[in-house]
């Protein structure tokens, strides 16, 4: 990565850029299991859920342009899950493989610790080799595999759960 990289909280002005990065993955990949792109208002709701309380929403900016994001959000609703969060990380296709995912995740883990979270969960498509490698590098351990729990593009998809205890 040759440009100047900044990892910072997602601002209102970053919503369209982050939505575009996410929707590209929705349209073209099985890395997200959504079938339909999120609208502007849906992404605003998503951002609210990923900034409330102990949650964090970060962006990576390269030379002033948003090139990726990472966030934490609630894992499951019951009270007992209060200190567990599910995380997501997305880097724009032209900027992958240059260290941005690592920088985003390292900052997210640090922030999750300072927010008092206890466990981070990643739910990853079993075929997503780069994401599995990124999470392994950060110390996430595989804790479960759920075969054929989703389908997209006429294929069954397996879910891998990884966990990092903070
Ligand atoms: C997964 C993703 C976030 C990784 O971000 P990135 O900026 O490309 O990753 P980095 O350059 O920081 O690389 C981190 C590690 O991932 C692994 N990795 C990255 N690209 C890889 C590839 N094409 N194949 C295999 N491993 C890869 C490597 O282990 C790498 O560590 P190393 O460089 O020290 O060997 C990014 O590829 C992405 O946004 N993919 C599409 C969306 C997605 O799958 N999001 C995750 C949903 S669970």
């Amino acid at each position: 990565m040759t440009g100047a990289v900044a990892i910072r909280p997602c601002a209102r002005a970053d919503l369209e850029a982050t939505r575009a990065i996410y929707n590209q993955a929705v349209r073209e990949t099985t890395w997200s299991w959504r079938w339909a792109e999120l609208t502007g208002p849906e992404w605003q709701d998503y951002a609210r859920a990923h900034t409330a309380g102990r949650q964090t929403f970060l962006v990576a900016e390269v030379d002033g342009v948003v090139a990726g994001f990472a966030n934490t959000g609630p894992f499951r609703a019951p009270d007992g899950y209060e200190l567990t969060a599910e995380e997501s990380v997305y880097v724009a296709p032209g900027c992958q493989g240059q260290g941005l995912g690592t920088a985003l995740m390292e900052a997210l883990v640090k922030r999750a610790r300072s927010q008092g979270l206890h466990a981070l969960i990643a739910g990853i498509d079993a075929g997503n080799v780069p994401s599995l490698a990124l999470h392994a590098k950060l110390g996430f351990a595989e804790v479960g595999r759920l075969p054929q729990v989703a389908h997209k593009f006429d294929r069954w998809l397996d879910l891998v759960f990884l966990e990092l205890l903070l």
Side-chain angles (χ1 to χ4, degrees), residues 70-83:
N71 58 42
T72 58
F75 175 55
R76 302 187 81 188
D79 301 332
Y81 291 108
E82 181 199 17
L83 300 181

Side-chain angles (χ1 to χ4, degrees), residues 132-147:
L132 290 168
L134 167 65
H135 285 84
K137 178 178 156 184
L138 285 154
F140 282 75
E142 182 175 328
V143 289
R145 255 173 207 255
L146 285 69

Side-chain angles (χ1 to χ4, degrees), residues 50-129:
H50 292 77
T51 48
R54 299 175 193 271
Q55 311 303 349
T56 297
F57 197 153
L58 300 174
V59 297
E61 201 180 69
V62 180
D63 288 338
V65 177
V66 172
F69 69 86
N71 58 42
T72 58
F75 175 55
R76 302 187 81 188
D79 301 332
Y81 291 108
E82 181 199 17
L83 300 181
T84 295
E86 182 160 6
E87 54 79 18
S88 291
V89 54
Y90 284 82
V91 174
C95 301
Q96 291 170 7
Q98 300 171 53
L100 286 184
T102 303
L104 279 163
M105 283 301 301
E106 285 176 350
L108 191 75
V109 167
K110 198 168 160 194
R111 176 82 184 146
R113 274 203 184 96
S114 73
Q115 290 290 83
L117 288 172
H118 179 67
L120 282 184
I121 305 292
I124 301 178
D125 181 324
N128 194 342
V129 172

